[in-house]
Amino acid sequence: MKIGALYIRVSTHMQEELSPESQKKLLLSYAKSHDIFVPEEFIFMDLGISGRKADKRPDFQRMISMAKSKPSPFQVIVVWKFSRFARNQEESIVYKSLLRKQCGVDVISKSESIMDGPFGSLIERIIEWNDEFYSTNLSEEVFRGMKEKASRGGYQSRPPLGYKIKVNGEPPVIVEEEAKIIRIIFNKYVNEHCSFFDIARYLNSLGLKTSRNKPFETRSIEYIVQNPTYCGMIRWNRTENETNRIKSKDEWIIEEGKHEAIISKDMFEAAQERYQSTYKPRGTRPSSTYRHWLSGLLKCPSCGRTMIVKNMRKKSDGSNYSHFVCYGYCKGKCLAKTSISSLKLEPAVLSSLEEVLRTENICFEYKEVIIVEEVDEKALLDEQLARLKSMEQRMKDAYRAGVDTLEEYKENKKFVENERASILEKINNIIPEVADDASDKKLMLSKIKNVYEALQSDSCSNQQKNEMLRSIIEKIVYNRENDTLDVYYYLSKTA
Ligand SMILES: [Zn+2]
């Protein structure tokens, strides 16, 4: 009697696959009838991992390293099919010959019997080649199938905020009150350069809620900003079913949908562009260590190219500072020596902002925002008021019908009154959008004030400071000759 191991693998893509339990049952009875004893600890299973690369199969690796110990604790490995052992011929040959020659372990397939003798290995290779072909083909088939389903208009059962399913099996339809929120989010993100955090805080301050009727979080904004549903597309295959892990982008399927878009494709693209340029995967160095808050804003007075940042260390005390040098100068294309140290530049920029705020003497240009999305704060707040009114009516009814006690009714009424007061206050605080020069100047100054406060704050990262500056400043030019700093402000204006 031989001692054997079982190797069981189920790939996520296979629907006609035997379940791991049935594979195990089959293999155990096969082993029994072939005089192979399989101890429980030699049953190896990799579940739900596509077998193209062996290095993603932890139990497979454990089995191989066990087989390598001398003497090997088992003499055979039984698999259901060779395609369960490895998914390409090369890998299969490498592992089989390693197991056979170095460990004296044979790999046996329950479903494919291998003849001994010179033709045995040839046939084995043919089977493997066939399986590999099948595997490549299969993943393409699966992909094609999903794509087809998506293009036929297969929709998720739970549409995102902004949509609802009216008729089962039909594309979702727009919920106008929620669609407004989506437009605000994209508008704030793309045109006003707000952070996810700022947008969430803003929406919560208006009393708006997510599709699950919860306050907005940074995460929910981040998700919405990346969801192509909003520009009329459908996205498939983004996450793994079991784990919700986000798959690599080239596995996603994005197709034109049959539902109505809430925002334009240009708007969605602009949001993706901003997301890509600011997104830092977790685990990488925090942006503050390599990105200066003036990055990309300072331009060479001689050639107009961007001044790039070099990180320096002060010899005297080891502290870090930055040095801005013309990119053209670095490449030998600009001859002017226009470099400046952050130790000099930072206070100069701050005092320039201070001066503007103090004197209220400001020059700025208008920058047209290409994409127009209407945001009517007043209307949104009015809707909240209407919502409170109907809530109040329901409370009255509940009290009259004897559902609520007088105490409960009083308490509810107090809550509604507080809410109403805070909404009315917000309505009063809305700056009327009168398009005259004086109000634009006021708006510009209030934006500068916000940015200036953020620059002083320790809770803002360099990345955030940089983005805020970019939302009001086109460029900064330092002129070394006469030691002057020119700050070019702009105000976004919808076309
Ligand atoms: Zn230059």
Side-chain angles (χ1 to χ4, degrees):
M1 199 175 204
K2 285 180 191 167
I3 292 180
L6 306 185
Y7 180 66
I8 294 159
R9 182 169 70 78
V10 183
S11 120
T12 34
H13 299 311
M14 313 266 284
Q15 259 110 51
E16 82 288 15
E17 184 91 12
L18 279 177
S19 75
E21 278 313 307
S22 16
Q23 281 191 44
K24 183 176 159 187
K25 235 172 157 176
L26 262 174
L27 295 182
L28 282 175
S29 83
Y30 174 87
K32 209 172 172 188
S33 63
H34 286 76
D35 270 347
I36 302 167
F37 173 67
V38 182
E40 190 62 31
E41 66 265 33
F42 293 160
I43 300 175
F44 299 91
M45 280 194 197
D46 283 316
L47 304 180
I49 299 160
S50 163
R52 294 292 194 82
K53 281 240 161 68
D55 56 38
K56 282 194 185 151
R57 295 191 276 154
D59 246 29
F60 181 84
Q61 297 300 345
R62 204 163 61 82
M63 174 177 75
I64 299 290
S65 70
M66 249 189 187
K68 279 182 180 166
S69 52
K70 301 229 151 93
S72 176
F74 43 83
Q75 289 98 56
V76 285
I77 294 170
V78 188
V79 295
W80 176 44
K81 285 179 172 182
F82 284 121
S83 61
R84 307 290 82 206
F85 178 70
R87 266 288 159 161
N88 65 64
Q89 207 196 2
E90 205 186 319
E91 187 185 273
S92 182
I93 290 170
V94 167
Y95 280 106
K96 270 188 207 163
S97 77
L98 178 144
L99 286 166
R100 197 169 295 153
K101 287 178 188 146
Q102 295 183 20
C103 322
V105 174
D106 276 322
V107 183
I108 300 173
S109 159
K110 191 230 159 255
S111 315
E112 301 121 331
S113 54
I114 295 301
M115 287 180 279
D116 286 329
F119 292 114
S121 71
L122 180 64
I123 290 167
E124 195 172 274
R125 275 185 206 196
I126 290 171
I127 292 172
E128 275 158 10
W129 177 81
N130 191 42
D131 278 346
E132 183 177 351
F133 174 77
Y134 180 64
S135 169
T136 316
N137 222 20
L138 182 83
S139 51
E140 275 164 19
E141 282 295 321
V142 168
F143 189 76
R144 203 176 302 137
M146 293 177 88
K147 210 168 162 161
E148 246 177 56
K149 201 172 170 191
S151 62
R152 278 201 310 270
Y155 283 93
Q156 290 163 331
S157 52
R158 194 191 160 81
L161 182 74
Y163 291 100
K164 69 172 177 204
I165 304 268
K166 235 181 173 176
V167 184
N168 262 337
E170 297 258 307
V173 293
I174 293 179
V175 182
E176 200 39 54
E177 307 88 81
E178 294 178 9
K180 271 181 203 153
I181 303 176
I182 301 301
R183 287 188 204 110
I184 295 175
I185 292 173
F186 276 91
N187 199 47
K188 291 256 165 207
Y189 187 65
V190 171
N191 294 332
E192 293 176 30
H193 293 262
C194 294
S195 67
F196 297 136
F197 177 75
D198 291 337
I199 298 172
R201 200 171 45 180
Y202 174 76
L203 296 174
N204 292 334
S205 81
L206 292 175
L208 299 166
K209 297 271 158 43
T210 69
S211 55
R212 291 173 200 274
N213 210 27
K214 295 225 167 92
F216 284 91
E217 285 175 40
T218 308
R219 268 191 320 183
S220 23
I221 308 297
E222 188 174 359
Y223 181 77
I224 286 169
V225 149
Q226 292 182 86
N227 192 342
T229 308
Y230 295 124
C231 68
M233 314 289 284
I234 327 183
R235 181 175 58 195
W236 277 76
N237 204 32
R238 178 172 173 266
T239 52
E240 275 172 10
N241 284 337
E242 301 95 25
T243 58
N244 255 350
R245 194 185 64 87
I246 296 173
K247 295 182 183 179
S248 100
K249 253 198 167 144
D250 48 291
E251 287 183 62
W252 301 2
I253 303 170
I254 297 176
E255 289 274 313
E256 198 69 43
K258 290 194 166 60
H259 61 284
E260 216 183 313
I262 291 178
I263 53 151
S264 68
K265 290 213 163 57
D266 286 346
M267 179 62 125
F268 185 73
E269 275 313 307
Q272 302 324 297
E273 229 164 75
R274 180 170 173 221
Y275 187 75
Q276 287 309 321
S277 68
T278 54
Y279 173 73
K280 296 278 175 299
R282 260 163 234 169
T284 55
R285 281 190 298 171
S287 53
S288 59
T289 62
Y290 61 90
R291 188 168 183 162
H292 193 276
W293 50 270
L294 284 165
S295 285
L297 280 165
L298 196 68
K299 305 287 172 185
C300 170
S302 173
C303 72
R305 289 188 180 89
T306 302
M307 310 272 284
I308 56 168
V309 189
K310 297 194 165 179
N311 291 323
M312 317 289 271
R313 187 180 284 269
K314 238 200 260 178
K315 273 187 194 128
S316 54
D317 58 359
S319 65
N320 292 311
Y321 69 102
S322 304
H323 209 73
F324 289 78
V325 191
C326 169
Y327 178 72
Y329 181 79
C330 298
K331 297 276 165 218
K333 287 177 185 161
C334 170
L335 298 174
K337 273 196 174 176
T338 52
S339 67
I340 178 170
S341 148
S342 64
L343 300 174
K344 183 168 177 164
L345 185 65
E346 284 170 17
V349 169
L350 286 174
S351 71
S352 169
L353 291 173
E354 255 164 48
E355 197 188 312
V356 164
L357 290 172
R358 197 181 61 241
T359 63
E360 299 200 345
N361 189 358
I362 179 160
C363 267
F364 60 92
E365 283 194 10
Y366 287 104
K367 195 163 151 185
E368 272 196 6
V369 181
I370 323 140
I371 314 127
V372 196
E373 300 284 348
E374 231 180 296
V375 181
D376 189 344
E377 266 182 40
K378 171 80 166 57
L380 281 166
L381 290 165
D382 284 344
E383 266 166 35
Q384 301 296 319
L385 284 180
R387 196 175 57 96
L388 282 177
K389 203 169 180 183
S390 69
M391 198 193 263
E392 204 173 22
Q393 188 57 50
R394 283 200 306 276
M395 289 167 180
K396 248 181 220 166
D397 295 345
Y399 170 57
R400 282 193 192 132
V403 179
D404 284 358
T405 62
L406 182 62
E407 279 66 41
E408 280 170 321
Y409 175 62
K410 276 184 180 163
E411 202 170 298
N412 288 338
K413 205 173 150 73
K414 207 172 144 196
F415 168 79
V416 168
E417 271 158 14
N418 282 340
E419 283 279 287
R420 182 174 292 132
S422 90
I423 292 172
L424 285 173
E425 199 195 326
K426 277 169 197 155
I427 291 180
N428 284 334
N429 286 339
I430 294 176
I431 306 163
E433 270 187 63
V434 193
D436 65 359
D437 294 349
S439 68
D440 280 350
K441 185 181 165 185
K442 212 171 156 189
L443 183 62
M444 187 78 238
L445 286 169
S446 79
K447 282 185 176 219
I448 296 173
K449 190 162 176 275
N450 281 342
V451 176
Y452 181 71
E453 276 162 12
L455 290 177
Q456 315 278 333
S457 143
D458 289 330
S459 59
C460 279
S461 69
N462 279 349
Q463 176 85 43
Q464 285 169 323
K465 289 177 181 172
N466 188 258
E467 285 196 22
M468 290 191 86
L469 279 168
R470 280 167 185 262
S471 73
I472 56 161
I473 293 173
E474 181 72 46
K475 62 177 180 179
I476 298 172
V477 178
Y478 171 70
N479 206 312
R480 201 171 170 176
E481 268 165 47
N482 38 31
D483 198 29
T484 53
L485 190 75
D486 293 318
V487 181
Y488 294 77
Y489 296 96
Y490 74 86
L491 188 64
S492 311
K493 198 172 193 181
T494 45

